[in-house]
Amino acid sequence: LLSINAYPLDPALKLIEEGKIAHDKRHFNKAIKIFSRVIRMNSIDPEPYILRAESHYELSQYKKAVQDLSESLKRYSKSHRALRIRALCYLEIGRLRAAESDIEQALRLDPRNYESLNIKALLYYERGQYKKGINLANRSLKTFNNTDAYSIRGNCYYETEQFEKAIRDLSISL
């Protein structure tokens, strides 16, 4: 019988796992450093760019996250995850057209992804298109029962003066 340690993992894979652990523990700067090392070891793989971008996002470093996600998309243009996260970053920095473009592309790749539906609903909310936001939050909730959709829908209800529905949804989202 061979031990699992008889075949050591690729050093980059070990580092990726280490970076994910740091990210999960909310040690975002440490995670960024680890993912940067992985990128220096293998700049072709799109995944470390996404992982580093997620840590940048958590630190509100949206422009750095956008740069990493753009690099990831150069390596694999059909990553709905990279498109979805970049759309969220664009929303945070007020680039609504860029956010819409990315989220539309992400939804073309994965039309039932509830996280993408939520971002599009949030985009409608930011634009004051509350009824469209409610409809998309409803679609998201049909896909997966999630608190983000309740929060977005609740805020849209509030803005359309449907206060009872707003209170219900926002209570569920807490």
Side-chain angles (χ1 to χ4, degrees):
L1 219 68
L2 290 175
S3 163
I4 194 162
N5 293 326
Y7 298 97
L9 284 175
D10 174 355
L13 293 177
K14 280 185 166 180
L15 280 174
I16 285 174
E17 287 309 309
E18 193 179 312
K20 286 179 179 180
I21 290 167
H23 181 90
D24 290 346
K25 289 182 176 180
R26 305 190 63 73
H27 300 148
F28 303 120
N29 285 316
K30 180 179 180 180
I32 289 167
K33 287 178 184 174
I34 293 168
F35 295 131
S36 295
R37 282 182 58 200
V38 174
I39 290 167
R40 283 192 300 274
M41 294 168 77
N42 177 3
S43 64
I44 297 169
D45 185 1
E47 185 67 11
Y49 290 96
I50 295 172
L51 294 169
R52 187 170 70 178
E54 288 175 327
S55 291
H56 281 303
Y57 179 86
E58 292 295 338
L59 293 170
S60 302
Q61 297 172 345
Y62 306 119
K63 290 180 180 178
K64 287 182 179 182
V66 166
Q67 289 172 340
D68 277 348
L69 295 161
S70 297
E71 285 300 318
S72 175
L73 288 162
K74 285 178 187 175
R75 287 149 180 80
Y76 181 63
S77 64
K78 294 185 181 192
S79 171
H80 68 58
R81 183 170 156 225
L83 288 162
R84 176 175 37 82
I85 298 166
R86 192 170 71 174
L88 202 52
C89 292
Y90 282 142
L91 265 175
E92 292 289 350
I93 58 178
R95 294 189 54 200
L96 300 184
R97 284 192 181 139
E100 183 174 31
S101 174
D102 276 1
I103 208 59
E104 288 292 337
Q105 193 174 349
L107 283 166
R108 278 193 295 281
L109 293 168
D110 188 1
R112 295 182 45 80
N113 183 287
Y114 76 93
E115 293 170 308
S116 295
L117 291 168
N118 287 346
I119 293 169
K120 180 133 188 211
L122 186 59
L123 180 62
Y124 283 136
Y125 174 81
E126 292 293 326
R127 287 187 167 157
Q129 297 173 306
Y130 307 119
K131 289 182 181 179
K132 287 182 176 183
I134 290 167
N135 289 335
L136 266 178
N138 288 336
R139 274 183 54 200
S140 174
L141 287 166
K142 286 179 185 171
T143 303
F144 182 74
N145 192 14
N146 65 92
T147 57
D148 288 340
Y150 281 110
S151 176
I152 296 163
R153 189 173 72 177
N155 283 302
C156 288
Y157 280 141
Y158 180 83
E159 294 297 334
T160 57
E161 298 182 2
Q162 298 178 61
F163 299 119
E164 286 181 23
K165 290 179 179 181
I167 291 169
R168 182 198 64 218
D169 278 6
L170 292 171
S171 294
I172 292 169
S173 74
L174 295 178

